[in-house]
Structure formats: structure tokens, C-alpha cells
Amino acid sequence: AQSVAQPEDQVNVAEGNPLTVKCTYSVSGNPYLFWYVQYPNRGLQFLLKYITGDNLVKGSYGFEAEFNKSQTSFHLKKPSALVSDSALYFCAVLGTGGFKTIFGAGTRLFVKA
Amino acid sequence: DTGVSQDPRHKITKRGQNVTFRCDPISEHNRLYWYRQTLGQGPEFLTYFQNEAQLEKSRLLSDRFSAERPKGSFSTLEIQRTEQGDSAMYLCASSKGGMNTEAFFGQGTRLTVV
């Protein structure tokens, strides 16, 4: 069965520093991977996805993610964090059958000014 | 606004009552999903429609839960005889067909069963 794991409940980073939010996956076949962000009192917003091609995927708000097949990882990164990036981040994978999205438990990102 | 809309945003109900939520997906999306999210957790898949056909239901969806998408447009999720354990955020999402498209989510309906 397809699944993702987010090993960190919380990540703290200072504004201006680079940030990484970790995700590992377990899939049968080729993975279709996603990152979503959830701000307080707002719905989940799509950030980026990996389907095939370049291992470095660029997305919204300056975020990018690196797909690593050998390590089965899909870490979210940003070169310079903003206080406004503070939110709940979810890694996700497309489930068997190709329609439902399976989410990790989420990682809360705190960016301190 | 061309996003996914959900109504109501909040619902407080007494245990044992029935509740119904509505979701209006993005108009050109033929896939519609319902998820449930509890505090501190990721969304859990409940059910999926392609057009008006309900193609999968999670084991999480007990017999008290029913979902419809009568004309392949909006969808409703009904919970009968609500229990306190049903308290959660109910999220609706939609996507285009195909294997590799992301889902777009509504803001959710927060249900509190007292």
C-alpha cells in the first residue's frame, strides 16, 4: 500500500535561513508525490508535485522539493524562510488506482523573526 | 470565486441528530473527494466520485455516512445519528481526470457533536 511518513512533528527555523521539511514514501511502482500547505482557518493548498523528470521540482511561494529514489525521500525545501511560511505542511502520495491522495501526518513549521 | 466551496463552514449538532454537508467542486473537475481531518492529523480519505458514480468508499465510512453526487456536479455528505467521535473537519476536494493531477480543496466544514 502507498504511504508517506513525515518524521518531524515540528520544524523551527529562523527567518532568512534555509528550511527543510522531510518526507519519505513507500509505494509500489512509480511514485506520484505532492506537498500541500495548510494555513490556520484555510483549506489545504497545493504547493508542488513530482510525477517524472527532474528530481528537483519547483512550486509555489518559492518552495521546491527534491525527489530521491534511492532514499525514497521527497523533502520540501526553501532557500530563505519567511515568517509567513509558518503553517502545517503535508506530504502526500497518489494511492493505488491513481485517484485518492494519501497524506502524511503533517509537520508544523515555525519561522521565527 | 472558482475554487471548491463547502457549506456550512461550521456545524454544531446534538448527538443523535442527522447532518448534511454540501460541496461545490471546480466546475470542470469530474472527480470529487471527501476527506476527514482531526486535530493534529492529516486528512483521511472517505470516498470518491467520478462524475456521478461513487467508485470507492473507505472502511472509515460507516453505514451512518452516505454521500451523493446526483448530477455529477455538487455533492452532499450526510451523517445520520451523529456521535461525538464524528466531530472533525470534513474536507471536500476536486480534480481533473487522469493519473497525475493534484486535488484542490475547499475550506472544510467543521462539525462539533455535543
Side-chain angles (χ1 to χ4, degrees):
Chain A
Q2 323 288 69
S3 66
V4 292
Q6 295 181 243
E8 303 155 316
D9 291 335
Q10 183 171 310
V11 169
N12 298 310
V13 64
E15 188 174 33
N17 284 0
L19 70 86
T20 299
V21 183
K22 295 179 180 177
C23 172
T24 58
Y25 65 88
S26 175
V27 303
S28 54
N30 294 322
Y32 294 78
L33 298 161
F34 307 86
W35 277 100
Y36 286 82
V37 60
Q38 190 171 37
Y39 298 100
N41 300 316
R42 295 173 65 178
L44 282 160
Q45 295 179 34
F46 168 77
L47 277 179
L48 51 80
K49 65 182 177 183
Y50 172 83
I51 304 301
T52 187
D54 290 342
N55 289 341
L56 187 64
V57 179
K58 294 190 182 296
S60 305
Y61 312 122
F63 284 93
E64 56 191 25
E66 186 172 10
F67 171 71
N68 188 316
K69 188 173 183 177
S70 62
Q71 297 185 4
T72 62
S73 67
F74 188 56
H75 300 332
L76 182 70
K77 301 184 179 187
K78 187 173 183 180
S80 179
L82 300 172
V83 171
S84 58
D85 292 330
S86 298
L88 190 55
Y89 290 82
F90 292 98
C91 182
V93 65
L94 200 62
T96 305
F99 54 88
K100 68 184 177 187
T101 307
I102 299 168
F103 289 86
T107 298
R108 188 165 296 280
L109 173 67
F110 287 100
V111 181
K112 186 175 181 181
Chain B
D1 184 7
T2 57
V4 178
S5 62
Q6 293 187 244
D7 183 70
R9 293 289 309 281
H10 304 274
K11 179 70 177 180
I12 299 174
T13 191
K14 292 183 177 179
R15 188 173 51 188
Q17 297 295 304
N18 299 344
V19 294
T20 300
F21 309 142
R22 177 180 171 121
C23 171
D24 287 90
I26 294 171
S27 58
E28 63 265 30
H29 288 181
N30 60 7
R31 294 184 173 190
L32 186 146
Y33 315 82
W34 286 97
Y35 286 81
R36 180 169 65 190
Q37 185 179 21
T38 53
L39 199 61
Q41 300 297 317
E44 296 174 298
F45 171 80
L46 293 179
T47 191
Y48 155 64
F49 290 85
Q50 178 144 337
N51 299 312
E52 67 276 9
Q54 187 175 21
L55 298 186
E56 182 162 331
K57 291 173 59 174
S58 166
R59 287 172 294 174
L60 294 173
L61 219 61
S62 76
D63 291 344
R64 297 183 296 105
F65 288 71
S66 63
E68 294 183 342
R69 194 183 183 195
K71 296 183 179 179
S73 55
F74 73 93
S75 175
T76 58
L77 177 68
E78 181 183 16
I79 309 174
Q80 295 182 327
R81 305 181 303 281
T82 52
E83 303 173 356
Q84 287 189 322
D86 297 332
S87 296
M89 177 75 84
Y90 290 83
L91 299 170
C92 178
S94 68
S95 71
K96 295 181 181 179
M99 283 284 291
N100 57 0
T101 54
E102 63 275 18
F104 292 83
F105 283 80
Q107 291 186 280
T109 295
R110 182 170 295 283
L111 173 66
T112 303
V113 181
V114 296

